[in-house]
Amino acid sequence: MGHRGVWTSLLLVWITCATHTSMSALANQLRGLDQGGTAPGMRQPGEVRGTLTRAKRGWVWNQMFVLEEFSGPDPILVGRLHTDLDVGNKNLKYVLAGEGAGTIFAINERTGDIHAMKRLDREEKAEYTLTAQVINRDTNEPLEPPSEFIIKVQDINDNAPEFTNGPYHATVPEMSQVGTPVTKVTATDADDPVYGNSAKLVYSILEGQPYFSIDPNTAVIKIALQGMDREMREEYLVVIQAKDMGGHMGGLSGTTTVTITLTDVNDNPPKFSKSLYEFTIPEDLGIGQVGGKVKANDRDMGENAKSTYNVIGGDDKDVFEITTDSQTQEGILRLKKPLDFENKKSYTLRVEATNVNFDPQFSGSGPFKDTATVKVAVEDSDEPPVFTQPSYLVEVHENTGVNAVIEQVAAHDPDITGSLVRYFIDRHTDLERQFNINVDDGKITLAKPLDREMDMWHNITVTAMEVRNHSQISRAIVAIKVLDINDNAPEFAMEYETFLCENGKPGQVGTNQSVIQTVSAVDKDDPKNGHFFIYSLVPEMSNNPNFTIKDNKDNSINVLAKHDTFRRQKQEMYYLPIVVSDNGSPPMSSTNTLTIRVCGCSKEGIVQSCNVEAYVLPIGLSMGALIAILACIILLLVIVVLFVTLRRHKNEPLIIKDDEDVRENIIRYDDEGGGEEDTEAFDIATLQNPDGINGFLPRKDIKPDLQFMPRQGQHSGPNGVDVDEFINVRLHEADNDPTAPPYDSIQIYGYEGRGSVASSLSSLETASSDSDQNFDYLREWGPHFRRLGELYSVGESDREP
C-alpha cells in the first residue's frame, strides 16, 4: 500500500427477524478481516496468486446498514471505523462528514463508533453518503486520505397499502357473462419493493360476493354471477382490500370502494298495460285531431325503451292512424278521414307496439313486440249543413237584367233531426252588393248591372245556417264569370303625335304618297273569334285633298300624304277624322281624330321645329338655346338690382331728417324706470343743484353719432330759483337736443326749489291740521298749479258746515 495503514470496518447489525442470518455471517467475515484475514474472493495488493506470501492487507468497504424506525432508549450503533494506525495512540481523532453528519449520525472521535442519533424513516430517505477521515488531534493534519462510504436505511413493514385513486366507479352491461372484466383498481405501498415482502400486495373482496370477484395479483374485478338484471338491481357497492406481506398474517392492509352500475340493454319487450282500449270520439272531430292514447310499457330505459306503434288490422283501418310521442312514448290515435255517425257508429282496430332498437343476442327471449285491441265508438254531433257541391261555377252575360236569377245553391242538415237551412251571402266577399240571395231557397239574383270590362270574375261566399242552431254554419264558394257582349266601340290604341315635313323630298316623311303614320285600334270587348277592325274617313272628308288611308290587313292602317307642298306659313296643323268599326253584333264604331303637324326638317329628313315662330329664328339657334340665354340675362339683372339696393341702404344716414316727425312713430319700451335712485340715464345732480356749474355731461345710455356743444345752463340767483322757468328751460333744451330721449320718454326732476313759500307740497309732512291750511297761494304760482289749487279749494268747501 502507498500509505501507512488501511481501514478495516466492523459492521454490527441488530436484526429482529430470523431471516437476516446472512448479515451475521457478513459480520463474522468482517471480524476475520480485523484479525488479519481477507475477505473471500478479494485479492490483496502485492499478493501473488498460488504463493503463501502477502504484503500488508487493505480491504475496500463502502456501505453500512441501519434499521428504520428504531426507537430504543440509547442511540443505535451503526458500525465502527478502525485504522491500524490506532495502536493506542491517543493523538488520533476520527472525523465524520457528509449527509447527516453531526445531526443524524455521530462518531466517537476516539473509538470510531458511528451511532444513529435520530429515528430514521426509509420512506423519507433511503441512504446517506458520508466521508470518514483520521487526523492528528493536536495539529488537525490528516493522517490518511478521506474515505467515502454509504449508510443504507434498512426497510421494515411500517406503511399500509393505499388506493390513491379511490373510491372507484365503474359500469358494466347487464346480463354480461361470468368473467367479464368490469374495472381494475391499483394500490401502492411506500415500503421497499426489493427488500422482503413489505410491498408485495394481494387483493381480495370484502363485500360484493357473490356478484363480483377480483384477481388477487392484477386487481381486475370481474363478473361472478350469471344473469345480473338491471331491472332487478342497478347498483352494487364492492369493498376491495389490498394487503402487503404477500397477504400473510401480520401484514398491513388498505381498502377502497367500487360502485358498479349495470347499464341497460334491450332485454325486455314492450307490453301494453291492457289488452283492450275503448274510446268515444265525436263525429265532428277534425282531421288530424287526437282521438285517444295507448301506452306500451318497456322496463328498459333510454333508446332501448323506445317503441313504434302501427295499426295492423281492423275494419276501415285507413280512417285512423297512430303515431309515437317521442317524449312520453305513447301511441297517439289520430283521425285521417271524416267520421259520419249516420253511416258508421263504431270501429275496431288492432294496434302493435314494436321496439325500435333490437339486440340480436336476446332474440331467443321471444318477439320484442306486443299487440292490443282498440274500439272506437262514434258519438253523434250536431253537424253543420252540407252543400250539394263544395263550390259553384256560374256564367252570366254582362247584359243580364237586374233581379234575374243566375244560380241556385242547396244545402241540407246531415243530422237525423234534419233542421231547416237559411242562406246568406258573406258581404265581405261582395262589398258592392252586386248580388242577392233568397234565404229560403238559395236562389242568387243580380242586384246591379254587370260590366265585364270592369270585373270579369266575381267570387262570393254563400253561407248555410241551421234554423235550429245558428252556430252550425257551412260555406260554399260561388265563382261567377261575366260573359262578354259587344258593348264597346274600338278606338285608337294611343294618342298619336304625327309630323309632316314641309317641302319633303322623295323618301322623306311627307313625300308624295308616303306613309306619315301607322294607326292601330283596341277594343275593350273580347269576342270569341278575335277582333276585326274596319277603318274609313268620315263621309264629308272621303275626298280629302291632302291625306288618304290604306288598310294593312292586320287591324292597322297607314296614313298617306297625297302631295309634298305643305307649308307651315300656310297651315301648321291638319286634323284627319277616322272612323273605326268592329264586326260585333251589333257592330260598334267610333270617330277618332289624328292631328298632323307640319314641321321644318333637315336635309336628312329629321324633324327640327314644328312652330310657326321658329321659322324666323336664326339658323342654327334652337328654341331651347334661346330660352337658356334669356334666363341668364334675367338672372344678371336681378343680381344688379339687389346689389344697388344694398348699397343704397348702406349709405343712408342714421340721423332723422327735419321733415320726418318722429312723434308719428310709436316706440314701445318694456323696461321700467328705477326712480330717483336710477342715475344711469341722466345726471340727477344737475337737477338737485341748479346753482352749480352746468357743464356738459355725456349721456351714459346712448352713444351719439354727432357731438354737440354742451348746453348752457341757466344761472340761478343766489336767493332762489323760479321753478317754472327752470322747467321750461330744460324742456326747450331737450326739444333741441338730438341726443335726448324721444318725446314719449319721461323726464324725472328731483328739484323742488329753495325758499318756496309753500315749503313741502306733501300733506303728510305738515304738522298743522287740515283746517289750518290755506291753499289759495297755489293759484298764484301760475297755470301749471291752477288745477291743484282748485282741487284743494273744493276740498275746503266740502268741509264747511
Side-chain angles (χ1 to χ4, degrees), residues 124-137:
E124 292 183 1
K125 190 171 180 61
E127 62 181 28
Y128 298 84
T129 302
L130 297 100
T131 302
Q133 191 176 22
V134 178
I135 63 176
N136 189 297
R137 182 181 299 274

Side-chain angles (χ1 to χ4, degrees), residues 37 145 328 392 547 696:
T328 62
Y392 297 83
F547 306 100
F696 175 74

Side-chain angles (χ1 to χ4, degrees), residues 500-651:
L500 180 65
C501 290
E502 62 178 349
N503 297 325
K505 296 181 180 180
Q508 297 181 355
V509 176
T511 58
N512 189 21
Q513 292 295 316
S514 62
V515 179
I516 62 174
Q517 185 67 59
T518 300
V519 177
S520 61
V522 293
D523 194 336
K524 294 181 180 179
D525 295 325
D526 186 18
K528 295 181 179 180
N529 298 325
H531 292 287
F532 179 77
F533 300 128
I534 302 173
Y535 299 87
S536 63
L537 298 178
V538 294
E540 57 271 19
M541 297 188 66
S542 58
N543 295 321
N544 192 302
N546 298 314
F547 306 100
T548 186
I549 60 176
K550 180 183 178 180
D551 192 356
N552 294 327
K553 305 301 182 181
D554 59 353
N555 285 336
S556 68
I557 60 171
N558 288 333
V559 179
L560 308 176
K562 290 184 176 182
H563 58 85
D564 57 356
T565 59
F566 296 96
R567 299 291 184 272
R568 280 182 292 173
Q569 290 76 15
K570 180 179 179 180
Q571 186 173 348
E572 177 188 4
M573 199 171 296
Y574 293 88
Y575 299 98
L576 183 64
I578 300 176
V579 178
V580 184
S581 305
D582 60 16
N583 61 341
S585 179
M588 302 291 293
S589 65
S590 66
T591 301
N592 301 264
T593 301
L594 180 66
T595 302
I596 304 173
R597 291 178 177 271
V598 179
C599 303
C601 301
S602 64
K603 295 180 180 181
E604 291 78 14
I606 300 175
V607 176
Q608 290 184 339
S609 176
C610 296
N611 296 327
V612 177
E613 294 80 0
Y615 184 77
V616 299
L617 293 177
I619 298 177
L621 188 62
S622 64
M623 181 62 68
L626 181 60
I627 293 174
I629 294 173
L630 292 176
C632 293
I633 294 174
I634 294 173
L635 180 61
L636 290 175
L637 291 176
V638 171
I639 294 175
V640 171
V641 171
L642 290 176
F643 179 76
V644 173
T645 304
L646 292 176
R647 290 294 300 271
R648 180 176 297 177
H649 281 289
K650 184 176 181 181
N651 295 330

Side-chain angles (χ1 to χ4, degrees), residues 425-436 459-460:
I425 293 178
D426 186 355
R427 292 304 176 182
H428 291 90
T429 60
D430 185 26
L431 297 177
E432 297 183 359
R433 296 183 175 271
Q434 188 79 46
F435 307 95
N436 291 327
N459 295 314
I460 63 174

